[in-house]
Amino acid sequence: MTDALGVPLGPVLLYGAVALVASLMLIVAMGASLHADTLLRRHYVPVLTFGIAVVPAAAVLISGRDVTSLDFAALQRATDAATVFLRLSSIALVGLTGVRLLSNALGRRPAPLPGPTGLLIALVAYVVAHYVLNSVFGTEPGLPEQQALYAVLAMFGVYASRQADSRVLLMAAKWGLLVVMLGSLAPLAFDPGLVRQEAGAELRIPGVTFRLFGLGSNANSIAAL
C-alpha cells in the first residue's frame, strides 16, 4: 500500500506504531515512578541506610567463600552469583535515586528545610579531587571508580529527601547492624568456614584460636561494625 506520492505506507505505519508504543511506555513508566516516589519520599533514606549495611553482607553470604585457611587472593575473587547480586543492587540504587531526584525536580517542592549544603559540596569536591582528577591525570589515565560515583549519586538522593524522619532512619540503621551481626554468627552452626578463620599468623590473643570474619570483607571490618 502506498500514498499518493508512491511512498510505501507499511514501514511508515510500523515505525509510527513503534514510536507511539514507546512513548506510551515511557509515560506509564514515569507515572509509575512518580507514584512510587510517594513511598520513596519517606523511605528512601532508611532503605538506603539499611542496604549499606546488609547488601555487602548478603554478597559475602552468596559468595560461599571459605576463610578457614586464609588466602587473600582467593578471598578477593567474588563468585558469579555474588557479582550479579552486587550489580543488581547497584542498578536498584541508581534507579531509586533517579526516581527520587526526578520527582523532587518535577513535583511540588516541600517547605524549605535547613540542609547540609556545605557538606554536600565538600563531598563532591572530595570525589572530584580524589577520584576524578587522579583517574584522568594519573600515571594510567582512566575513568574513576564506579563506587565513588554511586556514593555521590546516593548523597544527592539523600539531600533531596531531607524531610525523612530521623527516628525511622535510626531504626533502619539499628536493624541493618543487627541483621549483619546475627548473620555473622549464625553460620558458625552450619558453615563455620564462611565466617571463621582457624589458627594462623594473625592470631595474637592468648587462648583465642580463631578470628571472626563474620559477613564482613575481613576480621578488621567486622570489628568496626
Side-chain angles (χ1 to χ4, degrees), residues 14-116:
L14 176 61
Y15 293 146
V18 171
L20 178 61
V21 171
S23 301
L24 291 176
M25 291 178 62
L26 178 61
I27 293 173
V28 171
M30 291 183 62
S33 299
L34 294 177
H35 177 69
D37 188 64
T38 57
L39 295 175
L40 284 178
R41 188 176 296 112
R42 294 176 53 194
H43 299 294
Y44 172 83
V45 179
V47 168
L48 178 66
T49 303
F50 184 83
I52 288 174
V54 172
V55 167
V60 170
L61 187 63
I62 294 172
S63 70
R65 71 182 183 186
D66 185 358
V67 298
T68 303
S69 179
L70 185 60
D71 178 357
F72 276 106
L75 187 62
Q76 298 301 320
R77 293 198 295 269
T79 64
D80 292 340
T83 300
V84 170
F85 174 76
L86 290 174
R87 287 178 178 174
L88 291 177
S89 301
S90 299
I91 293 174
L93 168 65
V94 173
L96 291 175
T97 304
V99 170
R100 182 79 275 275
L101 294 176
L102 180 63
S103 175
N104 190 72
L106 300 180
R108 293 181 300 176
R109 295 185 178 276
L113 294 174

Side-chain angles (χ1 to χ4, degrees), residues 118-136:
L119 184 61
L120 182 66
I121 295 174
L123 173 65
V124 173
Y126 168 78
V127 171
V128 170
H130 188 73
Y131 288 97
V132 178
L133 295 181
N134 281 348
S135 298
V136 174

Side-chain angles (χ1 to χ4, degrees), residues 65 67 70 72 75-76 181 195 197 202-205 210-225:
R65 71 182 183 186
V67 298
L70 185 60
F72 276 106
L75 187 62
Q76 298 301 320
M181 291 299 100
V195 297
Q197 179 195 1
E202 295 296 325
L203 297 177
R204 299 186 176 91
I205 302 178
F210 67 92
R211 295 182 78 202
L212 180 66
F213 272 59
L215 295 181
S217 57
N218 56 63
N220 294 332
S221 68
I222 204 67
L225 288 174

Side-chain angles (χ1 to χ4, degrees), residues 116-223:
T117 305
L119 184 61
L120 182 66
I121 295 174
L123 173 65
V124 173
Y126 168 78
V127 171
V128 170
H130 188 73
Y131 288 97
V132 178
L133 295 181
N134 281 348
S135 298
V136 174
F137 298 105
T139 305
E140 297 181 4
L143 297 175
E145 295 182 3
Q146 292 180 346
Q147 291 85 343
L149 302 181
Y150 291 153
V152 173
L153 181 64
M155 288 304 101
F156 272 102
V158 171
Y159 185 78
S161 308
R162 298 190 302 280
Q163 66 272 33
D165 190 337
S166 59
R167 295 171 297 178
V168 178
L169 167 62
L170 181 60
M171 186 63 66
K174 288 182 176 181
W175 275 106
L177 290 175
L178 179 61
V179 169
V180 173
M181 291 299 100
L182 293 179
S184 296
L185 297 175
L188 291 173
F190 59 89
D191 187 11
L194 179 68
V195 297
R196 185 182 68 189
Q197 179 195 1
E198 297 297 340
E202 295 296 325
L203 297 177
R204 299 186 176 91
I205 302 178
V208 178
T209 60
F210 67 92
R211 295 182 78 202
L212 180 66
F213 272 59
L215 295 181
S217 57
N218 56 63
N220 294 332
S221 68
I222 204 67

